[in-house]
Amino acid sequence: QVQLVESGGGLVQAGGSLRLSCAASGGTFDKSAMGWFRQAPGKEREIVGTINWSGGRTYYADSVKGRFTMSRDSAKNTKNTVYLQMNSLKPEDTAVYYCAADRDYYCSGYGCLGNNDYWGQGTQVTVSS
């Protein structure tokens, strides 16, 4: 059974940093894109960014470009873990952050992840002003 578990969320002041982690288990994701989404109260879920199967390509929403960085472990047996380094956080970054993993292989780009893929339960990020 595939499970994605996010961690690293919390409360931080504006301008601060957090690093989220997502560990996927129960499957092999070294050929799959993974990514992060977020959903703020009263708003629809939005994409934060994706990272391709090799970790060599990343795609970010305009709202986080230059502030957020995704990475994934490079060793084959640990490529199931992806990270989201969030710097210069703003109150508008407050949301539940979700990790997702592609059921397909070798996708690269913004549209790799959707409702039919694997999803975590989310971790809360709160940025105070």
Side-chain angles (χ1 to χ4, degrees):
Q1 181 181 355
V2 173
Q3 280 191 317
L4 275 66
V5 178
E6 302 96 337
S7 61
L11 174 64
V12 64
Q13 288 189 331
S17 298
L18 281 175
R19 189 192 194 208
L20 305 184
S21 299
C22 171
S25 61
T28 302
F29 297 96
D30 61 311
K31 302 180 182 67
S32 300
M34 298 182 73
W36 292 92
F37 292 73
R38 66 186 182 185
Q39 187 166 19
K43 294 188 177 181
E44 292 187 354
R45 186 181 68 194
E46 64 175 0
I47 189 169
V48 175
T50 64
I51 186 166
N52 77 331
W53 62 276
S54 69
R57 294 192 175 185
T58 51
Y59 305 85
Y60 298 98
D62 288 343
S63 59
V64 306
K65 278 181 184 176
R67 300 188 298 122
F68 291 11
T69 303
M70 280 184 296
S71 61
R72 64 193 300 172
D73 287 341
S74 58
K76 181 177 181 179
N77 60 340
T78 58
K79 271 191 174 178
N80 291 359
T81 302
V82 294
Y83 306 96
L84 182 65
Q85 178 67 43
M86 305 186 295
N87 298 330
S88 302
L89 282 161
K90 305 175 182 179
E92 50 263 46
D93 294 319
T94 294
V96 177
Y97 283 71
Y98 297 92
C99 173
D102 194 2
R103 288 180 181 267
D104 295 325
Y105 294 159
Y106 301 123
C107 184
S108 183
Y110 229 43
C112 296
L113 298 166
N115 291 333
N116 292 328
D117 292 308
Y118 300 110
W119 290 83
Q121 293 299 306
T123 185
Q124 176 71 47
V125 171
T126 303
V127 184
S128 63
S129 57

